[in-house]
Amino acid sequence: MNKLYNIVERNVQKIIIIATILLFVVGLFTLYYIFEVRSTSNDECIWAPQKNGDIVFQTVKVDGVTWNAGIRNGDKLISIQGVRIYDVQVAQGLINQLNTGKYANYTYEHNGKLIETKVYIKKLIQFNSVGFTLLSIIWLVVGFIVVLAKVDGKVQKLFYLIGAAFTIFMSIVFYLPPVKITPPLIYLLIVSTISGIFAPFFIIHFFWLFPRRSNILNKKWVEPTLYIVPTVLFFGAIIFSIIYYADRKFELINYVRTFNFINILFVIGFCVGFISLSRSFYKLKNKADRKPLLLILLSYALGITGMLYTFYVAPAITDSIFNSPEFYMPIVLVVLLPISFGISIFKYQLLDVSIIIKNTVTYAVATVTLAAIYFLIIYVLGQSISSAIGTPYQGVIAGIIFIIFAIIFQSTKNKFQDFITEKFYPEQFAYQKVLLSFSNDVTTFVGLNNILDKMTSTYTKGLMVKSFGIMLRSANDEYTLARAIGLKDNEFILKDGVVDEIISEKISFNKPAAISRDDFYRTFKSDADKLIDDDIFTIIPMTVKSKTIGLLLFGLKHSGAQFAGKDLELLIAGANQAAVSIENARLYRSEVEKLQIEKDLELARKIQSGLLPKCVPALYNLDICGIMVPAMQVGGDYFDYIQVSDKKLFIVVGDVSGKGLSASLYMTKLQTMMQIACTDDKTPREILVDINKKLYETMERNWFITLTLALFDLENQKVKFCRAGHMPILAALNGKVKAHKTQGIGLGLEKGKIFESSLVEEEIKLTQGQIFAFFSDGIVEAMNKDGGMFGEEKLEELLKDKKEETSTQVMDDIWKSILDFRKDAEQNDDMTMVLVKVK
């Protein structure tokens, strides 16, 4: 099914052309059929069949052809042209064979006497059939022009479908007597009936879209209903007819009843359309916008008046259509509607049709003539010069001269070609010049704002577009207005919708990569109303590598028409060039911002590095070494040595959740707080309880800090420490390593009560040769390419049997082992370690 749909979409223009030719022939044949095959002879009376089988003359028109032949009301019809009459259809067939001006031989009974007389033949014009057939043909022709101007336009398609449906429906006359019913005509009847039932709903749908979309279509159920209802009506009529007329072979669809039912639908459809058009007309406040619709509205009013009069008034004020056919003539007024559409389209450039029809033929003839003259001159000159030379290589010389003169006269031909384009397509020619100039200039502009300003100036001043906007796509796939001229709401936002999908679909069907009003609701859904309220008619995407980076919003052209055809091609070409420039400007700006950020981060790294201890405190019996390597330019790990007396030193190792700049800021804040809080008279537990309260009040809830705080007291030869959710402390001595995992939760997680109750302080006696390792999780969680972790066991092995080595040597061994383990794998977290060796 999708494959068939794709084939139809790609060849829709060819299909429309072929279908229109066939339907036009059908329409002409219908007219011929009405005037010739179904040409009804009229003797200006009624033949009334009686129950006893007699046929009686009634409603004989005074001074009519039957009256003048001596026949009066109540007389019995015996024969016509010598043929005994028992069926009025046979009688009608006999007189239909006679042309206007001939006489038919009637035999009738008057007061018991048989009388022969001659009745003058007149022809009855079926104004209903003629009016609707002319309506269908004219609408079909105008619709064909309209739909070719914009093949993918929804309004244009509906307008064309109305004409096509009317034309098919009027072929129902082929089924009517006196033609013999055959299977092909039965199929034609079914198709005609379907078209007749759907046509009124096409009319309603069209006028709910034209000239502006009606709010009633915003309800999702409305459009499907417009096509579900006629489908149900058709199948309902079929089922009813099968049941009601089951004993009449294929007379299961009574054509008279069907025709009358469809006439009612037409009246409803035309009336609803007229009401909708009237409402749209009076909603337009601008006289210039009303002017093209005024002629259509007046013609529509006359057409509906003629239809209602013919269907309902004429039968009520006349005794018979045979006696007063002129009373049924106003139905012909319905042809004014498509005629008025045609006039408005050509005169006021509705739907861009006037440009296509008015100029295409002339332009094509002028171009072909120019090409013929051009090549004729070149050929004659080449032949003349080569003949004058008269060498055996005359043909070769003629070819060379042809090429030389072709090159010389090429510029002349191009200038004349431009002249023709300017003459017949002045607006398009101006657009072409402006957009070509813009395409050349836009690449020279530096900076996004300069490019956007140039685009705005080009489209609003150069192309004289009153409503214009540039929307750029944001990181969250929303389009925001970067520039706007003539829009009511300069701050509205469009959600992405399915822009890329719609554009890809159009390109796949060889259609212009543009979004028209017909596509607004499909593309932007509820946001479409914003565009319509701002009088936006066309959206051109700015695309780079099949991705839409922005949208150009256009109102109407200076002439009042929408952009179409060649205009769209020029706008799309300009938009793509602008898209490249905008993307380059963005990339340049991003690169500048990136360089600036890197510069700032490098500065932050230096500042952070400067905040870490620059020298190791000189304390008796302690050998200290520390290092912090951030995963990014700056990190959230922290270590410090805070000496509070000659015999006391605090060692701090912390890790802020996360990494990067935000973590480094919290680290800096923590460092300041620790240096203030660590005093000679406080224990690690007291300090952490105090720090936690302050951090909880100032930190955001999704952040926390793990930290180990140790107090080395050389006077009493012991160390006290607390772990606030941090990594364990490793103590190595005599080839053994013990991991101290005291209880405690991270800083900033809880206000204080739980933190204080869970925090445990531990005390260890210092022993010569003992090594204490304080580290962050980045050390043991260092990863290689396979995802394996360095692990705490490897670290413990590296701390064993280091009695003779300094803390720096031990640190070097550990760091070398980590690098060997990681190899080319990137550092995944900040890494911090402080080693304290007791001498």
Side-chain angles (χ1 to χ4, degrees):
M1 194 68 182
N2 288 335
K3 188 176 182 180
L4 178 63
Y5 174 77
N6 293 338
I7 292 172
V8 172
E9 282 295 314
R10 289 192 180 94
N11 299 279
V12 65
Q13 191 167 7
K14 294 178 182 177
I15 294 172
I16 288 173
I17 293 172
I18 294 171
T20 303
I21 294 172
L22 294 175
L23 289 173
F24 186 74
V25 172
V26 169
L28 293 179
F29 190 61
T30 302
L31 280 179
Y32 167 79
Y33 190 87
I34 291 170
F35 283 107
E36 295 297 329
V37 180
R38 287 198 64 242
S39 179
T40 303
S41 295
N42 182 21
D43 59 359
E44 299 182 318
C45 67
I46 296 294
W47 303 328
Q50 304 299 305
K51 292 182 178 180
N52 60 5
D54 294 339
I55 297 175
V56 177
F57 288 97
Q58 291 183 1
T59 320
V60 178
K61 184 179 180 180
V62 178
D63 294 327
V65 293
T66 301
W67 177 280
N68 293 334
I71 300 173
R72 297 294 181 267
N73 290 335
D75 293 346
K76 299 177 183 178
L77 176 62
I78 304 301
S79 66
I80 295 177
Q81 298 293 88
V83 178
R84 180 74 179 182
I85 302 300
Y86 299 101
D87 189 336
V88 294
Q89 295 294 343
V90 174
Q92 188 66 54
L94 289 171
I95 64 174
N96 282 349
Q97 296 174 8
L98 300 175
N99 296 326
T100 302
K102 300 294 182 177
Y103 286 88
N105 295 318
Y106 277 43
T107 300
Y108 67 98
E109 181 183 324
H110 179 73
N111 293 330
K113 297 181 179 180
L114 293 178
I115 302 173
E116 292 186 0
T117 187
K118 291 184 179 293
V119 178
Y120 182 81
I121 296 298
K122 297 175 71 174
K123 291 294 181 180
L124 175 66
I125 298 176
Q126 296 287 346
F127 287 110
N128 281 12
S129 298
V130 172
F132 277 106
T133 302
L134 288 175
L135 167 70
S136 68
I137 294 174
I138 297 171
W139 202 307
L140 178 70
V141 172
V142 177
F144 173 69
I145 296 169
V146 166
V147 79
L148 281 190
K150 193 175 183 183
V151 177
D152 59 339
K154 191 172 185 178
V155 178
Q156 287 82 356
K157 285 181 181 177
L158 277 171
F159 188 85
Y160 176 78
L161 283 174
I162 293 171
F166 264 124
T167 304
I168 297 173
F169 170 65
M170 288 314 300
S171 66
I172 199 172
V173 299
F174 298 150
Y175 174 78
L176 304 181
V179 175
K180 183 179 179 181
I181 301 303
T182 61
L185 287 180
I186 292 174
Y187 299 139
L188 177 62
L189 175 65
I190 295 174
V191 175
S192 300
T193 304
I194 293 173
S195 300
I197 293 176
F198 272 85
F201 292 90
F202 289 154
I203 293 171
I204 294 172
H205 195 184
F206 172 77
F207 284 104
W208 280 353
L209 288 172
F210 176 88
R212 294 193 65 175
R213 181 185 174 93
S214 173
N215 290 332
I216 195 172
L217 291 178
N218 292 340
K219 299 177 181 178
K220 294 182 180 180
W221 58 269
V222 172
E223 276 192 83
T225 302
L226 287 174
Y227 298 95
I228 292 173
V229 170
T231 303
V232 172
L233 289 175
F234 172 73
F235 284 105
I238 291 288
I239 294 170
F240 173 78
S241 299
I242 290 174
I243 297 172
Y244 192 76
Y245 297 101
D247 59 336
R248 303 189 184 186
K249 296 183 180 179
F250 196 77
E251 288 187 33
L252 55 152
I253 299 179
N254 187 306
Y255 67 83
V256 175
R257 291 173 181 266
T258 302
F259 201 84
N260 290 338
F261 173 69
I262 293 175
N263 282 344
I264 294 172
L265 290 181
F266 275 134
V267 170
I268 295 172
F270 273 113
C271 288
V272 173
F274 179 73
I275 293 170
S276 180
L277 182 63
S278 301
R279 289 186 62 187
S280 299
F281 177 81
Y282 287 108
K283 282 182 179 180
L284 296 173
K285 298 180 181 179
N286 192 336
K287 290 184 178 179
D289 295 334
R290 281 186 168 190
K291 196 172 183 181
L293 298 179
L294 182 60
L295 178 62
I296 298 174
L297 192 63
L298 292 175
S299 301
Y300 203 157
L302 287 173
I304 283 190
T305 301
M307 185 188 303
L308 294 175
Y309 168 82
T310 304
F311 286 168
Y312 302 109
V313 178
I317 63 176
T318 60
D319 53 5
S320 167
I321 187 175
F322 298 103
N323 291 343
S324 306
E326 65 277 4
F327 281 84
Y328 294 81
M329 190 186 303
I331 191 64
V332 180
L333 290 174
V334 295
V335 304
L336 293 176
L337 183 55
I339 291 173
S340 66
F341 259 107
I343 294 172
S344 294
I345 283 170
F346 290 108
K347 186 173 182 180
Y348 298 106
Q349 299 184 9
L350 285 180
L351 307 172
D352 287 324
V353 171
S354 62
I355 296 176
I356 292 174
I357 301 304
K358 179 181 177 182
N359 299 323
T360 298
V361 175
T362 311
Y363 181 79
V365 171
T367 302
V368 171
T369 303
L370 170 63
I373 294 172
Y374 169 71
F375 285 107
L376 180 62
I377 292 173
I378 299 298
Y379 178 77
V380 170
L381 286 174
Q383 288 292 331
S384 300
I385 294 174
S386 63
S387 297
I389 296 174
T391 69
Y393 303 101
Q394 181 176 330
V396 177
I397 294 174
I400 295 172
I401 294 173
F402 182 90
I403 294 172
I404 293 172
F405 275 94
I407 295 171
I408 293 173
F409 284 101
Q410 182 66 32
S411 60
T412 304
K413 182 183 79 71
N414 290 341
K415 289 179 181 178
F416 192 60
Q417 187 82 32
D418 289 343
F419 170 76
I420 293 175
T421 305
E422 184 176 10
K423 180 68 178 175
F424 296 112
Y425 294 94
E427 190 175 51
Q428 186 185 108
F429 182 79
Y431 287 0
Q432 185 175 358
K433 291 294 184 182
V434 170
L435 291 173
L436 284 175
S437 176
F438 167 74
S439 296
N440 292 330
D441 293 343
V442 73
T443 55
T444 64
F445 284 83
V446 177
L448 181 60
N449 288 329
N450 291 333
I451 294 171
L452 296 177
D453 290 340
K454 176 63 178 177
M455 291 171 66
T456 304
S457 174
T458 298
Y459 289 118
T460 56
K461 295 180 181 179
L463 302 186
M464 294 182 288
V465 178
K466 295 180 181 178
S467 298
F468 174 73
I470 303 174
M471 305 194 82
L472 298 181
R473 191 175 191 168
S474 62
N476 57 351
D477 287 334
E478 291 182 341
Y479 294 97
T480 56
L481 272 171
R483 295 290 186 278
I485 298 293
L487 303 184
K488 299 173 185 176
D489 185 358
N490 291 338
E491 296 183 357
F492 76 81
I493 296 173
L494 286 179
K495 295 180 181 177
D496 179 28
V498 288
V499 175
D500 290 337
E501 289 84 347
I502 296 296
I503 297 303
S504 297
E505 177 186 299
K506 287 179 175 288
I507 292 173
S508 67
F509 293 136
N510 297 319
K511 296 178 181 179
I515 300 172
S516 63
R517 274 202 172 185
D518 296 336
D519 305 311
F520 283 3
Y521 285 93
R522 187 161 65 107
T523 308
F524 301 109
K525 297 182 181 178
S526 59
D527 291 333
D529 292 327
K530 302 174 185 177
L531 297 167
I532 294 173
D533 290 342
D534 275 321
D535 293 327
I536 298 300
F537 285 83
T538 306
I539 297 177
I540 306 295
M542 295 186 289
T543 307
V544 176
K545 295 181 180 179
S546 301
K547 182 178 180 181
T548 304
I549 67 163
L551 304 172
L552 298 182
L553 314 181
F554 291 94
L556 296 175
K557 297 191 290 187
H558 181 65
S559 61
Q562 296 183 42
F563 288 96
K566 291 291 183 182
D567 295 336
L568 288 180
E569 293 178 13
L570 293 172
L571 291 177
I572 291 168
N576 289 336
Q577 185 64 51
V580 173
S581 297
I582 289 174
E583 190 67 6
N584 288 339
R586 279 177 162 178
L587 291 173
Y588 176 76
R589 186 172 67 180
S590 297
E591 189 64 25
V592 170
E593 291 175 351
K594 182 180 177 182
L595 291 173
Q596 184 61 46
I597 290 172
E598 288 180 352
K599 185 178 178 181
D600 292 343
L601 288 174
E602 179 61 22
L603 180 60
R605 187 190 67 78
K606 291 179 180 179
I607 293 172
Q608 186 181 41
S609 179
L611 295 175
L612 297 174
K614 294 183 178 61
C615 59
V616 178
L619 285 174
Y620 177 73
N621 284 349
L622 289 185
D623 176 15
I624 304 172
C625 176
I627 188 173
M628 195 277 279
V629 179
M632 300 179 180
Q633 287 91 336
V634 291
D637 278 9
Y638 156 62
F639 78 92
D640 205 352
Y641 320 128
I642 303 174
Q643 186 174 355
V644 293
S645 70
D646 294 339
K647 297 291 181 75
K648 289 184 179 181
L649 172 71
F650 283 98
I651 299 293
V652 186
V653 174
D655 184 1
V656 180
S657 61
K659 46 185 177 287
L661 188 59
S662 300
S664 71
L665 293 175
Y666 277 120
M667 184 277 279
T668 304
K669 181 176 183 178
L670 175 65
Q671 182 188 42
T672 304
M673 297 174 71
M674 291 300 300
Q675 289 181 349
I676 294 173
C678 291
T679 58
D680 186 21
D681 57 338
K682 290 182 180 179
T683 65
R685 187 177 186 281
E686 292 172 340
I687 294 171
L688 291 182
V689 168
D690 183 47
I691 293 291
N692 178 69
K693 290 179 181 178
K694 293 177 180 178
L695 282 175
Y696 184 83
E697 294 173 357
T698 57
M699 284 185 75
E700 294 186 20
R701 294 284 74 85
N702 58 328
W703 287 87
F704 64 93
I705 300 172
T706 64
L707 184 138
T708 295
L709 179 61
L711 173 60
F712 284 86
D713 184 354
L714 300 181
E715 183 176 352
N716 297 310
Q717 287 296 300
K718 60 184 179 180
V719 58
K720 291 181 181 180
F721 54 85
C722 286
R723 289 173 55 255
H726 199 65
M727 299 299 294
I729 302 168
L730 299 181
L733 181 63
N734 296 328
K736 295 182 181 180
V737 178
K738 183 179 179 181
H740 297 272
K741 301 179 180 180
T742 55
Q743 290 185 354
I745 63 173
L747 297 165
L749 287 173
E750 191 272 331
K751 191 173 183 179
K753 187 176 181 180
I754 297 174
F755 179 86
E756 188 173 351
S757 63
S758 65
L759 188 64
V760 175
E761 183 177 87
E762 188 174 345
E763 182 176 294
I764 301 174
K765 187 169 181 64
L766 296 178
T767 305
Q768 185 179 6
Q770 196 173 27
I771 299 177
F772 291 91
F774 306 89
F775 56 92
S776 65
D777 56 359
I779 296 291
V780 295
E781 293 177 2
M783 300 174 68
N784 57 21
K785 284 187 175 181
D786 298 328
M789 292 187 181
F790 186 74
E792 193 173 314
E793 291 182 2
K794 288 188 180 68
L795 181 58
E796 291 178 1
E797 287 297 323
L798 292 169
L799 292 174
K800 291 179 181 179
D801 301 321
K802 301 297 187 203
K803 188 174 182 179
E804 303 300 326
E805 297 179 21
T806 64
S807 62
T808 303
Q809 290 172 331
V810 176
M811 181 71 79
D812 289 342
D813 290 342
I814 293 172
W815 195 249
K816 184 177 182 302
S817 296
I818 292 174
L819 294 178
D820 289 342
F821 175 79
R822 276 181 37 215
K823 294 183 179 178
D824 296 330
E826 292 185 2
Q827 183 177 337
N828 60 301
D829 198 0
D830 302 331
M831 294 193 293
T832 301
M833 176 174 277
V834 175
L835 296 178
V836 179
K837 184 175 183 180
V838 181
K839 294 191 290 186

